[in-house]
Amino acid sequence: MAITAALVKELRDKTGAGMMDAKKALTENDGNMDAAIDWLRTKGLAKAAKKSGRTAAEGLVAVVVEGGKGVAIEVNSETDFVAKNAEFQAMVSDIAKVALGVDDVEALKAADLGGKSVADTLTDKIATVGENMTLRRMARIEGEQVVAYVHNAAAEGMGKIGVLVAMTGGDAAFGRQVAMHVAAVNPAALSEADMDPAVLEKELAVQTAKALDENATATKPKPEAVITNNIIPGRMKKFISESTLMGQAFVVNPDMTVEAAAEAAGATITGFVRLEVGEGIEKAEEDFAAEVAKVVQG
């Protein structure tokens, strides 16, 4: 596979590696982006892969809480201009309220909203505005109490990032602090038990290869038992603490983990939901000169 400049740039953007290192990583792995990222990490040339879910699409995330139940939805639009439109915001708010009564996004699309389905409501809005819109996803959570937080709010209960935190005990003020933490730090899971086994397995493979590679080139190599029983488990423990909500340093008080802060507040966090507009969607970026030329030719 040809290693293009665009491919090298993408890898550099994701890992922060140097140009020559990025090119070598791609060459060694036949242009496979994920394998190249792991190769760089194994060689210690990338501290960690950056989030590949770049926010590229526009739209809004809306959150609604009713009793011990909360729901978050994402409705995408092509431009931020539409996302700021009061009619669009009103529609998103109405859809979010309907979402409280369904279990998944497909059921939400089929649900009734003012005499027509949510899907048909979106279709009508597309025809009126002349811009594509999609009801992309929804997530729901239940608990003794559910607290919501919206980051970069565009209107009441909606913005670029929506978070729901479910917990027992504690109070709403603490729940909001945790929700703000989730918005800022974006944990992968609540605790180690909730992490994807495939993610842990992949990280273990990376850390094992990295530790062995470092030891092989060290001036004073460590015994294999030290690598296996101390270094690798230590690095995995650090990875898990940085990836899970319970293990992360609390943004409100970095001297405590979120778990310790919850215990001090008399709360038990039972779950969370975080939706960010456009997360995981890549929007094609067109060269400005080419865009102007297309308009002129059109």
Side-chain angles (χ1 to χ4, degrees), residues 121-135:
T121 300
L122 269 171
T123 299
D124 290 348
K125 186 63 69 176
I126 291 169
T128 303
V129 176
E131 182 171 311
N132 190 33
M133 300 172 197
T134 57
L135 170 57

Side-chain angles (χ1 to χ4, degrees), residues 6 143 150 155 194 214 216 276:
V150 173
D194 302 296
E214 289 172 349
E276 181 172 353

Side-chain angles (χ1 to χ4, degrees), residues 7-23 25-26 32-42 44-52:
L7 206 58
V8 173
K9 181 181 183 301
E10 182 181 350
L11 182 56
R12 290 186 68 194
D13 289 343
K14 287 183 175 181
T15 64
M19 182 175 69
M20 297 309 296
D21 290 330
K23 184 175 181 181
L26 288 164
N32 184 297
M33 184 63 64
D34 289 338
I37 291 172
D38 289 343
W39 187 90
L40 284 168
R41 295 192 62 203
T42 297
L45 298 172
K47 291 182 179 179
K50 292 183 181 177
K51 300 286 184 186
S52 59

